[in-house]
Amino acid sequence: MADYINKQVIELNEVTEENRNKATRSMKTETHLSDGRLRLYRLAAVCLGVLCVLQVTLNISLRLAFYNRGNETEERDQLQTSCNTLTEERDQLQKERDDLMTKFSNLKQTCPEGWQQFNSSWYFLSTVKKPWKESRQDCLERGADLVIVNSEMEQEFLYGLNKRAWIGLTDSVTEETWKWVDGTPLTTPSYWHTQQPDNGGDNPANRNEDCVELNTVTWRPVKAWNDLSCLLNRYWICEKVETTP
């Protein structure tokens, strides 16, 4: 009986030890599983953090890319605008150049060599001397007439030609009634030298001074007209008024 009891006690102890070992192994297993889950949680958290960082980096990169693309587009548009403006200015300059060349060509055809312009008229100064009537005839053949002086500025311009030359003023039709070659009477302005016109003065040989010269030798610009015999030889000045087409 005692042996049987001891045997039962031993078996009970063995069962208890085995249960204790199972419990210990179960606890270790659960602990191991808990540690594994924790590591997985931590790994998942790390991965999530990395993904967040990557997402932020990607967002920033995309924003910068779009921003730079926007700046590049704006700069491209500005360059295109500048290019268009320069093209328009170039075309305008070319047009102005062509217009000037056309005007210059027309002027050369209208007024050949030897003529010069002042305000709205063209002037021709002869290189030879002739009497007044022959001088006027030369102007008419050139499509002009002897010059008519209309202003002090024009008088000073003619004086600057520095020639004793016939102008288009005469009293050959009616003595002491001075008229221009276009038939208009002399009123103002007038630029007679002192004591002129004198129709030859006291010397009867110099009578009939019916034509007017511009004397640039010693007289001032606004006091440079002198009546003279139309038969004397002088240079002459033709005038052609520029007409608007």
Side-chain angles (χ1 to χ4, degrees):
M1 176 63 76
D3 292 335
Y4 176 76
I5 293 173
N6 289 333
K7 184 179 180 180
Q8 290 296 320
V9 171
I10 291 171
E11 289 178 354
L12 180 61
N13 289 336
E14 289 177 354
V15 170
T16 301
E17 184 65 25
E18 183 177 355
N19 290 336
R20 186 183 295 114
N21 291 337
K22 287 182 179 181
T24 301
R25 285 195 300 269
S26 177
M27 291 179 62
K28 288 181 178 181
T29 300
E30 290 179 359
T31 301
H32 180 70
L33 291 174
S34 297
D35 291 342
R37 291 192 189 98
L38 182 60
R39 283 195 296 271
L40 288 174
Y41 292 153
R42 288 177 179 176
L43 180 59
V46 171
C47 291
L48 181 60
V50 171
L51 288 175
C52 291
V53 172
L54 291 175
Q55 183 65 44
V56 171
T57 303
L58 179 61
N59 290 340
I60 294 174
S61 300
L62 290 174
R63 289 179 181 273
L64 289 175
F66 283 116
Y67 177 78
N68 291 334
R69 181 178 300 176
N71 288 343
E72 291 173 357
T73 302
E74 183 178 357
E75 291 176 358
R76 182 193 62 196
D77 293 342
Q78 291 176 351
L79 289 174
Q80 185 64 46
T81 301
S82 300
C83 182
N84 293 339
T85 301
L86 289 175
T87 301
E88 292 175 359
E89 292 177 352
R90 182 201 62 191
D91 293 342
Q92 180 64 27
L93 288 175
Q94 289 179 345
K95 183 178 182 301
E96 292 176 358
R97 182 200 62 187
D98 294 341
D99 290 342
L100 288 175
M101 292 296 294
T102 301
K103 290 181 180 178
F104 180 72
S105 178
N106 292 338
L107 289 176
K108 287 182 66 178
Q109 295 175 3
T110 303
C111 295
E113 185 177 359
W115 292 78
Q116 53 185 306
Q117 188 179 29
F118 177 76
N119 289 341
S120 59
S121 294
W122 289 85
Y123 300 86
F124 174 81
L125 175 64
S126 71
T127 57
V128 297
K129 297 180 180 181
K130 290 183 180 181
W132 191 89
K133 286 186 178 180
E134 285 81 351
S135 299
R136 186 185 183 194
Q137 184 60 37
D138 177 81
C139 290
L140 293 173
E141 291 174 356
R142 296 175 184 273
D145 208 336
L146 286 173
V147 62
I148 297 174
V149 183
N150 294 305
S151 68
E152 184 172 327
M153 289 180 61
E154 187 178 20
Q155 169 70 15
E156 291 180 352
F157 165 75
L158 298 172
Y159 187 89
L161 299 177
N162 198 29
K163 292 288 186 180
R164 294 187 67 170
W166 293 122
I167 63 174
L169 187 63
T170 180
D171 70 345
S172 59
V173 176
T174 303
E175 186 67 30
E176 297 184 0
T177 301
W178 295 96
K179 290 185 178 182
W180 294 105
V181 289
D182 65 353
T184 58
L186 173 66
T187 52
T188 54
S190 61
Y191 305 102
W192 294 107
H193 185 59
T194 305
Q195 298 180 353
Q196 299 297 326
D198 64 354
N199 200 30
D202 297 331
N203 188 346
N206 294 333
R207 295 295 181 182
N208 298 320
E209 293 186 345
D210 296 332
C211 296
V212 179
E213 69 163 347
L214 176 66
N215 188 339
T216 63
V217 176
T218 58
W219 298 349
R220 294 184 296 113
V222 294
K223 298 291 183 180
W225 290 357
N226 176 45
D227 62 334
L228 201 65
S229 171
C230 300
L231 301 178
L232 295 178
N233 290 322
R234 290 288 186 269
Y235 296 102
W236 65 92
I237 303 172
C238 302
E239 179 183 13
K240 181 185 296 185
V241 179
E242 188 178 59
T243 57
T244 303

